[in-house]
Amino acid sequence: MMNLELSEQEMIRRQSLVELRKLGIDPYPAAKYEVNATTEEMLSKFDPEKNNFQEVSIAGRITGRRIMGSASFVELQDDKGKIQVYFKRDNICTEEDKTLYNTVFKKLLDIGDIIGVKGNVFITKVGETSVNVTEFTILSKSIKPLPVVKEKDGKTYDAFSDPEQRYRQRYVDLIVNPQVKEVFIQRTKIMNTMRNMFNDRGYLEVETPILQAIPGGAAARPFITHHNALNIPLYLRIANELYLKRLIVGGFDGVYEFSKDFRNEGMDRTHNPEFTVMEIYVAYKDYNWMMEFTEEMLEKVALALHGKTTVKIGNNEVDFKAPYRRLTMIDAIKEHTGIDITGMNEDQLRQVCKDLNIDVNDTFGKGKMIDEIFGEKCEGHMIQPTFITDYPVEMSPLCKKHRDNPELTERFELMVNGKELCNAYTELNDPIDQLERFQDQLKLSEKGDDEAMFIDHDFVRALEYGMPPTSGMGIGIDRLTMFMTGQESIQDVLFFPQMRPEKKAQKDDATAYTQIGIPEEWVAVFQKNGYNTVEGMKDVNPGALHQKLCGTNKKHKLGLQNPSQDDVKTWIENIK
């Protein structure tokens, strides 16, 4: 009955596997296949006068075929692009036996198969650089057909463009939409540009734990798991800040990490529960230095990708050339609401939120309410890179108090295109102050704030040994890639974004069918024809259903004894 789960094309391709093996051809060989050229090299460097690609060996996936008797053309796609490949029967089959061309190539190969070809490069009569094949090898037989993307007169038809399909089957997306690769190539280029800048300054790339006993370093809801051997709960990290600062305590002057972090929160076009962050900590620096460092870093990234500092993000032209505007959080709120929240207590802030129609509840402390006001009324206006500085102390439990105003902290967030991109501090290194801040977070947790920070006593102990003045910064790589590549959804910059489980058609159990007289061996045939529930068959024409059932039995060679029309009619009547 397994054949019923396959399409006609899948059945044909599986039969091709059988035929290939009968001919002594392994459709999945293990041996190394030597590749000495790429499509990009041949298309860009071939010189007909020099005839400089005479013995090429390339490998790739068949993405198109034109069979024309004793000569045919194939479009072959490798990691770098596509090239036309010319198959001529007598070039491939130099002896009398033409099976390799007439049977293997023409009948048993399909679009999607991966092959290796050897031959020489030439220019066709219409001026297209191609490979004249003298030998080919099947490297992997594709038994599931690819979506066929057609192009004509510069227009694309039947594109594999449904976002949910693309994200679930990224492997297919990369095959049929090769331009998608460019986003991920640029993503790597972004990270390498940053890494090179840090390494040039002597900062050390490190790794810190993903499984943590205490999820510290940010205000977020963690994922919880259990360690069987230790019999303790563990958390997937929400940030790597506290471990990196432990390394500053240990004597490193500059450390950074590209890390996977996890937050058990909502999903939307700019948030994924698993995301990549770069965090860097440098001793003997402050947040003013870090602002200049961040400007330099982003300017370098823009230039590395685009050769200029301006980037098109949606409908906005954003310029990453330093310097960026700097604006305190309180001044930003005043600028966009007309309200000065300086010195306000919790009750006053709650009233401001009410006046501004911002939804808050009793679990919100001062910091969270200020954050809500800023997020609702200010953030979206900041298109060009803008440093928002000097956050209220309640919002920043890991940040050093402002040197001129103890009610504020030395913190900045970089806003770009209406979204936060970076978060940075002059790091809090006073162990007594840090413990008090953690205790304040505990009070928020007791009020019901499930994003409040845990108390990390070991981190406080580390600070007690002495951490030098330090500045730290974290930047979301996924969002930075979105901005730098002009993508509107975070799913477009993640190879495999988190998705809801695929919806499967609801099907009745076999007993529902047998109760109305249908033999159990016929249940799969009914469901193959779309009758997944007994209720869905009650208005079906018995004659038409009989034809479908018998046709499926014959087509799939199931060998079942066909029911009579009266049998089918009786089954349907039994439903009513």
Side-chain angles (χ1 to χ4, degrees):
M1 283 296 179
M2 287 300 292
N3 278 348
L4 288 176
E5 299 175 7
L6 304 176
S7 68
E8 184 175 359
Q9 269 291 313
E10 288 173 310
M11 292 173 63
I12 291 171
R13 289 181 179 225
R14 278 167 168 75
Q15 185 58 38
S16 294
L17 283 179
V18 174
E19 298 301 322
L20 286 168
R21 287 183 169 122
K22 283 181 181 178
L23 292 169
I25 298 172
D26 184 355
Y28 305 104
K32 179 182 76 170
Y33 189 84
E34 195 69 50
V35 173
N36 62 17
T38 68
T39 55
E40 183 181 63
E41 289 171 341
M42 290 181 287
L43 292 171
S44 63
K45 297 179 181 179
F46 176 62
D47 185 339
E49 293 184 2
K50 294 180 180 178
N51 217 5
N52 55 331
F53 284 93
Q54 274 304 294
E55 295 182 0
V56 298
S57 179
I58 63 172
R61 189 183 297 273
I62 298 172
T63 57
R65 300 207 311 160
R66 285 181 289 144
I67 307 296
M68 301 181 297
S70 64
S72 303
F73 288 98
V74 161
E75 187 178 61
L76 200 67
Q77 176 175 297
D78 69 3
D79 180 53
K80 302 299 183 184
K82 297 179 181 180
I83 195 167
Q84 180 172 267
V85 178
Y86 176 63
F87 284 78
K88 189 174 182 181
R89 183 179 58 201
D90 293 341
N91 289 349
I92 293 168
C93 307
T94 55
E95 305 293 333
E96 288 187 14
D97 185 359
K98 307 299 182 184
T99 302
L100 191 59
Y101 181 85
N102 291 341
T103 302
V104 177
F105 172 75
K106 291 178 69 174
K107 297 179 180 179
L108 302 181
L109 284 188
D110 293 288
I111 289 175
D113 291 351
I114 298 172
I115 63 172
V117 301
K118 295 180 180 179
N120 61 285
V121 180
F122 72 108
I123 304 291
T124 65
K125 292 179 180 179
V126 295
E128 185 168 355
T129 302
S130 306
V131 178
N132 183 19
V133 179
T134 56
E135 179 185 327
F136 78 93
T137 305
I138 298 174
L139 300 177
S140 183
K141 178 69 183 166
S142 169
I143 59 174
K144 185 174 282 293
L146 289 170
V148 179
V149 180
K150 303 171 187 174
E151 292 184 13
K152 186 177 180 181
D153 300 327
K155 293 184 178 180
T156 301
Y157 301 89
D158 301 325
F160 187 67
S161 57
D162 178 73
E164 182 159 332
Q165 279 190 304
R166 289 181 53 235
Y167 303 149
R168 287 192 191 281
Q169 301 180 47
R170 182 67 83 186
Y171 38 88
V172 178
D173 186 31
L174 292 166
I175 295 169
V176 300
N177 297 319
Q179 71 280 2
V180 170
K181 285 184 179 179
E182 188 58 32
V183 171
F184 295 97
I185 291 170
Q186 289 182 313
R187 179 187 173 106
T188 297
K189 196 169 187 178
I190 289 168
M191 296 171 71
N192 286 343
T193 301
M194 296 165 67
R195 183 176 275 115
N196 291 339
M197 176 181 168
F198 305 156
N199 290 344
D200 287 346
R201 291 179 177 235
Y203 306 145
L204 182 69
E205 184 169 10
V206 298
E207 294 181 2
T208 60
I210 292 175
L211 287 173
Q212 300 182 352
I214 295 174
R221 187 183 299 118
F223 287 93
I224 305 173
T225 186
H226 185 81
H227 192 293
N228 291 335
L230 296 176
N231 194 28
I232 58 171
L234 289 175
Y235 302 87
L236 294 180
R237 69 178 168 206
I238 57 175
N240 48 344
E241 175 172 343
L242 301 187
Y243 282 95
L244 291 173
K245 288 196 283 194
R246 285 173 170 92
L247 298 180
I248 297 295
V249 171
F252 290 102
D253 281 354
V255 292
Y256 71 93
E257 181 176 16
F258 288 92
S259 65
K260 283 289 187 184
D261 289 351
F262 308 84
R263 297 184 183 178
N264 197 356
E265 299 170 345
M267 294 166 55
D268 57 33
R269 296 179 72 84
T270 60
H271 294 87
N272 194 65
E274 174 185 351
F275 57 99
T276 303
V277 172
M278 189 291 301
E279 290 197 36
I280 185 166
Y281 294 83
V282 185
Y284 311 110
K285 310 296 183 186
D286 65 6
Y287 78 141
N288 292 309
W289 177 90
M290 187 60 79
M291 278 187 261
E292 295 176 358
F293 179 85
T294 302
E295 290 172 334
E296 180 184 350
M297 178 188 73
L298 292 175
E299 190 173 312
K300 282 180 181 291
V301 168
L303 288 169
L305 261 64
H306 307 292
K308 58 182 181 179
T309 58
T310 54
V311 177
K312 185 80 169 176
I313 306 177
N315 295 323
N316 299 317
E317 190 87 13
V318 176
D319 193 348
F320 285 97
K321 184 171 179 58
Y324 305 158
R325 186 188 184 199
R326 302 183 185 190
L327 185 68
T328 70
M329 172 166 271
I330 289 174
D331 285 345
I333 291 174
K334 187 175 181 180
E335 182 176 299
H336 292 285
T337 69
I339 300 171
D340 187 352
I341 64 169
T342 303
M344 284 189 177
N345 60 31
E346 192 169 309
D347 290 337
Q348 291 170 317
L349 284 169
R350 202 172 296 280
Q351 183 60 46
V352 169
C353 290
K354 184 177 180 181
D355 293 342
L356 294 173
N357 296 315
I358 296 173
D359 188 26
V360 297
N361 59 52
D362 292 342
T363 69
F364 284 33
K366 286 178 62 176
K368 203 159 186 180
M369 283 190 283
I370 293 169
D371 194 31
E372 288 294 312
I373 295 170
F374 177 79
E376 288 278 342
K377 299 300 179 180
C378 308
E379 196 172 280
H381 297 285
M382 295 166 188
I383 304 303
Q384 298 304 319
T386 304
F387 289 118
I388 300 300
T389 68
D390 302 349
Y391 284 50
V393 68
E394 295 85 0
M395 293 180 65
S396 310
L398 299 168
C399 186
K400 201 175 194 68
K401 288 180 180 177
H402 198 283
R403 64 197 75 177
D404 299 324
N405 185 344
E407 293 188 356
L408 302 177
T409 58
E410 295 197 351
R411 173 185 178 185
F412 73 78
E413 288 185 317
L414 178 63
M415 299 294 163
V416 178
N417 202 47
K419 295 288 183 181
E420 174 206 340
L421 181 58
C422 301
N423 188 22
Y425 311 150
T426 301
E427 300 296 336
L428 177 57
N429 60 346
D430 179 339
I432 296 173
D433 188 3
Q434 181 64 84
L435 180 59
E436 290 173 352
R437 305 268 201 101
F438 277 147
Q439 290 168 339
D440 289 341
Q441 287 286 300
L442 181 62
K443 293 174 185 176
L444 291 175
S445 178
E446 291 169 349
K447 287 176 63 177
D449 186 347
D450 59 1
E451 293 184 351
M453 289 189 189
F454 289 55
I455 297 180
D456 189 334
H457 289 287
D458 180 69
F459 176 66
V460 174
R461 178 169 59 190
L463 293 184
E464 289 175 343
Y465 283 100
M467 184 176 85
T470 299
S471 183
M473 182 267 289
I475 181 168
I477 298 300
D478 306 325
R479 190 169 292 177
L480 176 60
T481 304
M482 286 175 62
F483 289 167
M484 289 292 178
T485 62
Q487 303 302 310
E488 295 183 357
S489 172
I490 194 171
Q491 285 87 355
D492 289 319
V493 301
L494 301 174
F495 272 129
F496 304 105
Q498 192 66 46
M499 303 287 290
R500 296 183 187 278
E502 287 188 70
K503 291 182 180 179
K504 295 186 177 180
Q506 183 180 352
K507 294 183 178 181
D508 280 346
D509 189 77
T511 55
Y513 295 84
T514 57
Q515 285 174 358
I516 62 171
I518 297 172
E520 186 171 353
E521 64 266 24
W522 277 92
V523 172
V525 183
F526 275 85
Q527 293 183 340
K528 171 67 175 177
N529 283 283
Y531 304 111
N532 292 321
T533 64
V534 168
E535 181 69 19
M537 293 193 300
K538 65 180 181 180
D539 296 321
V540 171
N541 180 286
L545 178 56
H546 179 261
Q547 285 187 337
K548 287 183 179 180
L549 296 174
C550 295
T552 301
N553 187 24
K554 180 179 179 181
K555 179 179 177 180
H556 290 268
K557 300 177 182 178
L558 302 178
L560 300 175
Q561 183 176 347
N562 286 330
S564 68
Q565 288 195 34
D566 287 340
D567 289 334
V568 176
K569 184 177 180 181
T570 300
W571 296 339
I572 293 175
E573 287 175 348
N574 288 343
I575 300 173
K576 301 173 182 179

